[in-house]
Amino acid sequence: MGSESVLFRNGFRYRRAEASGLPSALRVEGLQYTYPGLLLTVLLIGIGAFGYFLMSSLVGAFLPVELEKMGASNTFIGIFITSIPYVLNMIITPVVSFQSDRLRTRLGRRMPYILCSAPFVTLFLILIGWTPAFCAGAEWMPQWLPRILLGMLSVGYQIFFLIVGSIIYYLFPDVIPERFIGRFMALFSLTGSLAGFIFSRWLLPFGENHLGWLFTAVSLFYLAVIVLMGRTVREGAYPPPDDAGKPFSPVGMVRSYFRDCYSIPFYYSFFIMMALSDVSTVCRAMFNLLYAKNTLGLSYAEFGEIMGWGGVVGVLLSFPVGLLVDRFHALRVYAFGLLLVVAVNLFSFFLVHDYRSFLVSSLLLAVVYTIQGAATLPCFVAILPKAYYGQFSSANALLRAAFMAICGAGGGALFDWLRNYQYIYMWDFLFTAAALGAFGVLYRSWQLRGGAQSYIAPLPRDRSP
């Protein structure tokens, strides 16, 4: 009986070969690596990820401030920055995730979505970047029109960003051997921290007066590195999906999706834990720069400097935390991160009141979110079934989107009522504490199913609790 045929990477190029002579730890989904081949793959994904992180920083950093300048309320900001995008997320992410698990092309099942969405992400970012300057010079516009226009462009951007923003995370388990996923995610997190440092330290102050040029440069850089990644990172061959050959039915797809993803009670606590943890940061994502400017009196440069030092912390800690994830298991490290998030936010709510205390709080938050971030994707890999990974990840994203859509508008309305951005910390504290409760339920069920030694992810056909 012949050995399995795989795509083999020893250097820059791939070739078809028989799977033999190398440890199985270097094999994944029809791909076989040598250590240099695996390192090169990680480097190329890292270059794409660097562009992705820079690109994804733009809207969250600048759009709330630009909308506020146009007279938008916190509720309006919450609806357009968070609620509408996550309602779209509830529609788009399950569809592309379900279909990407079943797609079979020469480029793979994930890469076509990443490559096809990139030009549209770039186009909308360029339009968003130049809209404030255009509207400022258009005196004929009604006062309300600029913020509506900017909000709608943001929605257009989010439609295509949601495609790459979900699918790019599904790519990693398909091309990185599971044994190395913790260390890979540490490097991925390190890349994000490095991008965050560069963005906060230099690009954020530049954008205060040159917004259009900043959006144009970063979005074009993102397009270039994503195309580079798509041309140089290959996916392996996947077995045909279980429903291959069956006629496509939208109603049947929806029925199959919900039956598969939400019929296994074991996963409920995992989905809820992740949703609550993500919701905990929604108000910080929307209002942190406004808090620094309007409540603490910081300039763009001062805020960027503090966030930049947070990026340095992330760079220094990402790889050691990745080693801890591989050593102690992702779930345990993630729970430790949740505990630290609760403690730091409680401290910050009562003690942050100026530049120095905001700096200390931001550095501590950078530490705890580095720990939590490095463990997040390995938690997904450890808990969810590999054959349905994209589909179950999107089921988590669907619940998360419902929470975020409600809490985005709700958080904006809450801060319109409170008129005090200090409560960003209390919001984070309460939702993270609730996520810890969901973790307790998940951890007990996980242990009953074998824990770190013998856990096997329940499949859709196995619907026992």
Side-chain angles (χ1 to χ4, degrees):
M1 183 174 178
S3 61
E4 177 189 0
S5 176
V6 296
L7 274 178
F8 174 67
R9 183 172 216 172
N10 185 29
F12 191 80
R13 295 185 180 276
Y14 292 85
R15 62 181 174 86
R16 182 65 60 180
E18 299 297 320
S20 59
L22 288 173
S24 60
L26 295 175
R27 188 182 309 155
V28 59
E29 295 291 353
L31 295 169
Q32 183 87 43
Y33 299 102
T34 59
Y35 281 106
L38 179 59
L39 287 173
L40 179 60
T41 299
V42 170
L43 174 63
L44 291 167
I45 294 175
I47 293 172
F50 182 77
Y52 169 79
F53 280 120
L54 283 182
M55 173 273 294
S56 60
S57 298
L58 290 172
V59 169
F62 289 104
L63 203 58
V65 176
E66 294 303 320
L67 286 171
E68 189 209 29
K69 290 178 182 177
M70 295 174 177
S73 66
N74 290 323
T75 304
F76 184 95
I77 293 171
I79 289 172
F80 275 91
I81 298 295
T82 302
S83 295
I84 292 177
Y86 279 101
V87 170
L88 293 170
N89 193 4
M90 295 171 69
I91 302 168
I92 295 169
T93 300
V95 173
V96 298
S97 300
F98 184 92
Q99 294 289 38
S100 75
D101 278 349
R102 290 155 177 78
L103 183 67
R104 303 292 183 268
T105 73
R106 185 178 62 84
L107 292 175
R109 61 179 180 176
R110 315 298 188 190
M111 204 64 79
Y113 290 94
I114 295 172
L115 291 174
C116 290
S117 62
F120 296 98
V121 169
T122 301
L123 174 63
F124 275 103
L125 282 175
I126 292 173
L127 292 174
I128 289 170
W130 289 103
T131 293
F134 171 77
C135 292
E139 298 180 358
W140 52 268
M141 278 192 176
Q143 188 176 5
W144 53 268
L145 186 56
R147 56 179 178 264
I148 294 295
L149 178 60
L150 193 58
M152 294 307 296
L153 286 172
S154 171
V155 170
Y157 155 78
Q158 289 289 348
I159 289 173
F160 294 99
F161 173 76
L162 287 170
I163 297 174
V164 65
S166 57
I167 297 297
I168 195 169
Y169 288 91
Y170 307 161
L171 175 69
F172 305 151
D174 285 353
V175 298
I176 303 297
E178 187 171 353
R179 174 184 169 187
F180 298 96
I181 199 70
R183 276 162 281 190
F184 169 79
M185 280 311 299
L187 291 172
F188 184 73
S189 179
L190 186 151
T191 302
S193 298
L194 178 62
F197 171 74
I198 292 172
F199 181 84
S200 299
R201 192 70 179 85
W202 290 295
L203 301 185
L204 184 65
F206 179 80
E208 184 175 9
N209 298 311
H210 307 283
L211 192 68
W213 290 115
L214 176 64
F215 271 62
T216 301
V218 171
S219 58
L220 290 175
F221 175 74
Y222 162 73
L223 180 62
V225 297
I226 285 295
V227 170
L228 173 67
M229 184 182 77
R231 293 292 298 252
T232 55
V233 174
R234 296 279 301 275
E235 298 179 56
Y238 308 101
D242 293 342
D243 51 6
K246 296 180 181 179
F248 174 77
S249 165
V251 174
M253 184 191 77
V254 172
R255 185 185 301 115
S256 174
Y257 177 88
F258 281 93
R259 183 182 64 245
D260 288 351
C261 296
Y262 297 113
S263 61
I264 306 174
F266 169 76
Y267 293 117
Y268 296 169
S269 54
F270 177 78
F271 294 156
I272 291 171
M273 176 186 75
M274 290 296 177
L276 289 170
S277 180
D278 285 338
V279 162
S280 71
T281 62
V282 66
C283 288
R284 177 170 288 112
M286 292 191 296
F287 303 130
N288 205 31
L289 179 53
L290 290 173
Y291 168 59
K293 286 175 68 271
N294 298 348
T295 302
L296 303 180
L298 274 62
S299 66
Y300 273 80
E302 289 172 325
F303 179 79
E305 182 180 16
I306 291 174
M307 294 299 106
W309 284 117
V312 171
V313 170
V315 169
L316 295 176
L317 291 182
S318 290
F319 193 72
V321 172
L323 295 176
L324 292 177
V325 169
D326 287 338
R327 174 68 178 83
F328 294 106
H329 199 278
L331 273 181
R332 297 182 181 120
V333 176
Y334 188 84
F336 181 62
L338 290 177
L339 281 168
L340 293 179
V341 170
V342 167
V344 172
N345 275 287
L346 188 62
F347 151 80
S348 301
F349 177 72
F350 291 106
L351 298 180
V352 172
H353 53 81
D354 56 15
Y355 176 92
R356 186 184 298 272
S357 54
F358 183 67
L359 171 63
V360 172
S361 170
S362 297
L363 292 178
L364 290 175
L365 285 170
V367 171
V368 300
Y369 282 126
T370 298
I371 294 171
Q372 190 178 359
T376 298
L377 186 77
C379 280
F380 279 79
V381 175
I383 294 296
L384 301 183
K386 192 71 174 288
Y388 298 87
Y389 184 79
Q391 186 172 324
F392 274 77
S393 294
S394 74
N396 171 78
L398 185 62
L399 184 64
R400 170 180 179 260
F403 276 59
M404 294 288 276
I406 295 169
C407 292
L414 177 66
F415 280 88
D416 276 335
W417 177 66
L418 291 172
R419 299 187 181 278
N420 185 351
Y421 289 125
Q422 191 76 19
Y423 281 87
I424 289 173
Y425 297 112
M426 185 54 63
W427 176 285
D428 199 348
F429 167 81
L430 292 174
F431 278 100
T432 306
L436 266 174
F439 167 81
V441 177
L442 171 67
Y443 191 78
R444 179 178 178 276
S445 299
W446 177 70
Q447 290 280 51
L448 291 174
R449 288 183 173 271
Q453 300 303 317
S454 57
Y455 168 77
I456 298 176
L459 295 173
R461 59 179 173 271
D462 173 20
R463 297 187 175 91
S464 57

